[in-house]
DNA sequence: GTCAGTGCAAAGCTTTTGCAGCGCG
DNA sequence: CGCGCTGCAAAAGCTTTGCACTGAC
C-alpha cells in the first residue's frame, strides 16, 4: 500500500466516512497509477475485477476524494480525469498529444515558481492551478 | 470592426467558406468580448437580437473558428468557453473564483517564458497551452 | 445552379440524482 | 441497528448529428 493510499483511508475515516466496496477499489486503483484516469477508465478497469461495481459509485467516490483534497480533478476536452494529490504538495502537470491522444505528466520547478508568483501579484488567494500543454509528441512528430 | 474581426472574416473567406447569418453574428459578438464565453452564453445573447439563431449553428461556427485557429477553446468544469485568438500571438490565461464562479483574465510574461521553456525541454512540439488558476477572488475572501 | 450554412429535432456523452437494499462501525 | 455506501435506472446537462431548406457566391 502506498503512502497516499494510507493517507487517503485515514483522512476518510477521520471525516467519519465508512469503508465501502466501490470506494476502496477506486482508491487502490488510483494509488497504482502514474498519471490521470477518466471515470470511465476507472469503471472499466474495476468492472473486469468485480462485476458488481456501478459507474455512479465511481463518480461519488471521486467527488468525495476531490472534496477532501485527496484527488485532483483535471478538465480535458473529452471529459474530466482524476489523479492522486500527494500530501507533500508535490505535483505535476500534463502534456497531451493532439494526434494520438496520449497524456503524459511532467514537472518543472521554474514553472511552479512562475505560477506561485502570479497568484501573489493578484487579489486572489490561489488554491490550485492546472496547466495543460497540447501538441505533437515525439512519436507523432515523425 | 476590430482587427480580429477583420482577420477572422478574411481567413474564412480565404478558406472558401461562405458568410452565413449565424456565424457572422457569433464573430461580431466574440469580437466585442473582454474574456471567454460559453456556447450557451453566446446563444442566449444572440437569441435576444435574432430569434432565428439555432444553438447547433453556434457550436458549428465555434468549431470552424477553432479549426482555423481564430478562436481558442478553453475547458472549464462546467463546460467549454471560447475567446478570440489574436493573430499577434498575444494571449492571456484565466483565474476562476471557486466561490462566485467569476472568471477573469490575466497575463504574465514570466509565466509565458516558463511555459515556452518547458515545451523545448521535452520531446513535444507544443502548439498551445492552457493555464487555469482557481481560488477565492478579492471580494469572496472578505 | 451548386453547395456551404442554417434551424430544428433527435441522439450521444459524460455526469448527477432517486431509490431501495446492503453492510460498516 | 442507524445511517452511509452501493448498484441500477432514469434524468440532466452540454455537445453533436441528421435532414430538409435557405441563401451566398
Amino acid at each position: 500500500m502506498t503512502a497516499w493510499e494510507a493517507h487517503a483511508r485515514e483522512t476518510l475515516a477521520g471525516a467519519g466516512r465508512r469503508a465501502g466496496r466501490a470506494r476502496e477499489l477506486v482508491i487502490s486503483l488510483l494509488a497504482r497509477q502514474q498519471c490521470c484516469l477518466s471515470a470511465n477508465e476507472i469503471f472499466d478497469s474495476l468492472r473486469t475485477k468485480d462485476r458488481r461495481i456501478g459507474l455512479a459509485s465511481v463518480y461519488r467516490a471521486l467527488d468525495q476524494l476531490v472534496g477532501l483534497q485527496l484527488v485532483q480533478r483535471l478538465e480535458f476536452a473529452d471529459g474530466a480525469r482524476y489523479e492522486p494529490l500527494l500530501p507533500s504538495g508535490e505535483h505535476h502537470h500534463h502534456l497531451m498529444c493532439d494526434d494520438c491522444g496520449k497524456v503524459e505528466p511532467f514537472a518543472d520547478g521554474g514553472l511552479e515558481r512562475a505560477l506561485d508568483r502570479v497568484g501573489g501579484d493578484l487579489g486572489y488567494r490561489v488554491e490550485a492551478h492546472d496547466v495543460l500543454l497540447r501538441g505533437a509528441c515525439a512519436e507523432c512528430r515523425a
Side-chain angles (χ1 to χ4, degrees), chain A:
Chain A
M1 163 149 18
T2 66
W4 174 80
E5 190 169 355
H7 171 62
R9 292 191 208 282
E10 199 175 324
T11 303
L12 283 162
R17 299 287 169 68
R18 298 177 186 177
R21 190 196 326 135
R23 199 174 55 211
E24 291 300 304
L25 287 172
V26 168
I27 290 172
S28 62
L29 176 60
L30 282 176
R32 280 180 271 120
Q33 297 313 306
Q34 302 305 311
C35 198
C36 51
L37 290 178
S38 69
N40 237 311
E41 286 167 344
I42 294 171
F43 174 65
D44 287 345
S45 175
L46 297 182
R47 231 348 159 47
T48 60
K49 289 174 186 163
D50 187 334
R51 195 66 71 74
R52 289 170 302 175
I53 293 296
L55 178 58
S57 297
V58 171
Y59 275 106
R60 279 187 285 234
L62 291 170
D63 275 354
Q64 294 175 355
L65 294 168
V66 170
L68 290 169
Q69 304 201 57
L70 294 167
V71 160
Q72 181 171 17
R73 175 185 165 129
L74 304 155
E75 306 300 331
F76 285 77
D78 56 353
R81 299 184 194 205
Y82 302 83
E83 69 183 14
L85 192 50
L86 301 176
S88 61
E90 167 198 354
H91 65 284
H92 59 248
H93 297 291
H94 298 87
L95 271 160
M96 182 175 198
C97 177
D98 286 330
D99 290 338
C100 65
K102 183 173 57 183
V103 175
E104 296 183 78
F106 75 87
D108 185 272
L111 176 58
E112 294 305 324
R113 282 189 291 279
L115 285 165
D116 290 343
R117 203 181 322 118
V118 171
D121 292 352
L122 301 150
Y124 272 66
R125 179 180 59 226
V126 174
E127 310 273 2
H129 56 246
D130 304 322
V131 175
L132 175 63
L133 306 185
R134 282 177 290 113
C137 71
E139 293 164 27
C140 292
R141 285 177 73 172

